[in-house]
Structure formats: C-alpha cells, structure tokens
Amino acid sequence: MLVQRVLMPASSLESWTVLGDGGGTVEPIERYLAYLTDIERSPNTVKAYAHDLKDWFVFLGQRALDWREVRLEDLGEFVAWLRLPPAGRDGRVALLPSAEHHCGVTTVNRKLSAVSGLYVFHARHGVDLGDLVTELQPVRARRTGWKPFLYHLAGGQPERRRTIKLKSPRTHPTILTAAQVQAILDACTRLRDRFLFALLWETGIRIGEALGLRHEDLAAAEGELAVIPRVNDNRARAKSASPRTVPVGPEIVRLYADYLHAEYGDYMFVNLWAGSYGHPLTYAAVYDLVLRIRRDTGTDFDPHWFRHTRATMLLRRGVPIEVVSTLLGHSSIATTLDIYGHLSVEDARRALEAAGFLTGREVSW
C-alpha cells in the first residue's frame, strides 16, 4: 500500500489518499479522508491519518481479515503489531525481549484515534460494524463539547466511544531560555530571518500562521497583528478556525520597518535570495534556516518552541490563563490547561518561597 498526496478538484487544497496493491484507492479510507478534507481538517492531520489507516489495512491484509468484521481482540493485536519494528511485523524475524518499541505511546494512540474515526464515520453512514472499537457508556458522562442530535432526550441511553488507549506519560513542552533566543537572533544574517524569529518570540504564533501573514495583517500604529485563516500558495496554514488579534511591541514594528527596505510581495515572508524570488517562504525553507542556525549556535530548537516559551513566560508572570488561551488561538481554555497547566519544580519552589514557605522557620528542627 502507498500513501499519495492529491490536490482537490477546482481548488488548491491538499489532501491525501491510500492506494492499494493494485494501484486503486482503498475505498473506505478514501471516503473518510475526503470527509476530513471537506470539513477543513489540517492537511498534516489528513496525511498522518492516511499513514495510520494504511498501517491498519496492512495489518488486516496480513491476517486476511475483513475490515468490517474484525473483533476487539484484533485491535489489541494491532497495538502489539505497531510496537514491532517493520522487519518483524510479518513474523519472519524473531525479536529479542529487550528490543525497543517501534511506535511510541503517542503515535499508537493517534493511530487508534484514526481507526476509531474511520469506523464511527462509516457506522454513521449505515455500515454494520457491531460493537467494534466501541463500548457503551451513559451519554451524560460525556466530557467533550460535541453533543449528538437530540442529546437532551437521550438521558441514560448508551452511546459509543473508543475503548482502547495506551496510558501516556505527561510531557512538558520544551522551552527556550532568553540566552538561547538571543543566540538564534544573532545568528540570523538577514533581516527577514531575524524578524521571523523575533515575531515568533514576541507573539507565540505558530510557524504556519507566520508564513501565511500578509503586510496588511500588521497594524503598525495600533501595535496589533491579525492572524487570519486563509488558503496560502505555500500551504502555510493557521490551525485556528477563527481569526484573532495579537498585540506586538514597538521594537517588533521597528524591526519590521527595517525589513521592508529589502522586502517585496504580498506575503510578509518571501523568498529573496534563491530560487523563486518573491514567492512566499515555505516550511522547507524555514527548516533549512533552522538547521543552519543550529549548526552555527549549537542550540537545538524548533520554531514551535518559541510558542511554548512565550506561553510559559506569560503564565509564569501571572497573565490569566484565559488571556493566554485567547492569544494562542486555542479553541478552549481546557486545551491551554492540558498543554501548559503544569508546574516544574522551579516554578513550585518560587511560588512556595513567595508565599513564605521553605524558609526553614515554620517549626524548630
């Protein structure tokens, strides 16, 4: 099987599909991925789900299972199969007990989510799937914001949800120190590149949101940056469905003004020195720049770390979490809490010391 990128008819929207061994599309996967594209899910999400569902159908093919008739036990075996390295998945290579898992917990859970979404989609379109990948629970126990049609009449009637999910350890987002950010900025030999990373540091916007900016999105006099979802020629994408406005300081505006002396085109960040001059800057070009700065500074970083750093700094300085959530463009405060609602040991120590604890004077030792 093969995952293939496709462009949607009569538009520049990107999607993905899965081709079978005979070269044709795998119809159950194709219908589901087309649906995700139609409701404007991220192309990166569609691509990831295409690979995930390809793995599921490869697994089914090796066991000669019909996708509509598999059992819950088969899904458990799929999890174990994902943990194996590709060379050992056909059973012809023996693995040592000490061999590391090929897929991590987060990857496995994403693949299970893709499989679950596929079956829920087809169940809603009349495919008889029994209780596959689902179990029954009271509707009122549901925590998500989505509610089914006539939800208020359901009472204690059961509904379906995914049953298998690996427990994943809580991880903290990686952040940069001020010294690391300064080293990255100083390593930029072009004003465009320095402005890009300075803007990520100042605003916490995503790299896709930055690459989709136009000049009219920055209101210099007001010190405001508008982040607007739109279709971009470089496939840059604002993940948030709704536009938002982020405040910026005068230093950013001055750096932008300096940058304009050597910049042109509709997009804020464009290709100026090689290849297609004036075309919007691409993800690949940014990551080439990141790799060069990593080599020059010895600082390991990713553009998204600027976002994590900004959010963490705001929370540490007492900015209300609802304000941080709005600035980041999260769909709810729960998302912000899930990612950033944590305390490191250093944060806890500072909070306790500020409250008068850890002084050694509370009691006599």
Side-chain angles (χ1 to χ4, degrees), residues 12-13 214 229-233 236 267:
S12 59
L13 291 178
R214 310 293 204 274
R230 51 166 72 98
V231 176
N232 298 305
D233 294 336
Y267 287 81

Side-chain angles (χ1 to χ4, degrees), residues 65-285:
L65 296 172
D66 188 301
W67 72 279
R68 293 158 295 191
E69 298 175 359
V70 294
R71 304 164 302 167
L72 194 60
E73 292 80 359
D74 297 317
L75 192 68
E77 292 181 9
F78 175 60
V79 172
W81 182 82
L82 289 172
R83 297 293 225 169
L84 298 173
R89 290 178 176 175
D90 58 6
R92 292 180 295 178
V93 177
L95 298 177
L96 297 175
S98 59
E100 294 186 358
H101 290 154
H102 178 70
C103 286
V105 172
T106 302
T107 302
V108 171
N109 284 338
R110 190 199 66 216
K111 292 179 183 292
L112 291 174
S113 179
V115 172
S116 175
L118 173 79
Y119 280 89
V120 169
F121 170 79
H122 284 287
R124 289 176 174 173
H125 285 78
V127 179
D128 183 10
L129 299 170
D131 289 331
L132 179 65
V133 205
T134 61
E135 68 177 358
L136 302 179
Q137 69 168 8
V139 169
R140 302 262 181 226
R142 190 179 192 95
R143 290 187 175 183
T144 62
W146 177 85
K147 299 294 187 296
F149 182 58
L150 298 183
Y151 158 80
H152 60 289
L153 300 179
Q157 296 299 314
E159 67 172 359
R160 301 180 183 277
R161 70 178 177 91
R162 181 159 53 95
T163 61
I164 295 182
K165 181 179 181 180
L166 301 185
K167 185 175 181 179
S168 58
R170 188 182 183 93
T171 58
H172 294 169
T174 306
I175 64 175
L176 299 165
T177 65
Q180 288 174 321
V181 173
Q182 189 63 61
I184 293 168
L185 294 174
D186 292 343
C188 295
T189 59
R190 308 286 187 179
L191 276 175
R192 180 202 64 185
D193 304 337
R194 188 179 183 91
F195 176 56
L196 171 62
F197 292 121
L199 192 66
L200 296 180
W201 164 262
E202 174 87 359
T203 63
I205 63 175
R206 303 174 179 90
I207 183 62
E209 294 170 335
L211 296 182
L213 290 173
R214 310 293 204 274
H215 294 294
E216 62 266 24
D217 296 336
L218 179 61
E222 294 81 3
E224 296 178 350
L225 180 73
V227 181
I228 302 174
R230 51 166 72 98
V231 176
N232 298 305
D233 294 336
N234 56 356
R235 301 194 181 96
R237 185 176 184 272
K239 187 176 180 180
S240 303
S242 302
R244 70 185 189 277
T245 301
V246 181
V248 295
E251 291 297 326
I252 282 290
V253 175
R254 279 194 285 270
L255 182 56
Y256 171 69
D258 293 339
Y259 163 57
L260 281 181
H261 289 294
E263 198 276 338
Y264 55 87
D266 294 331
Y267 287 81
M268 189 172 288
F269 297 102
V270 297
N271 194 358
L272 296 173
W273 299 284
S276 303
Y277 298 101
H279 285 221
L281 201 62
T282 64
Y283 288 105

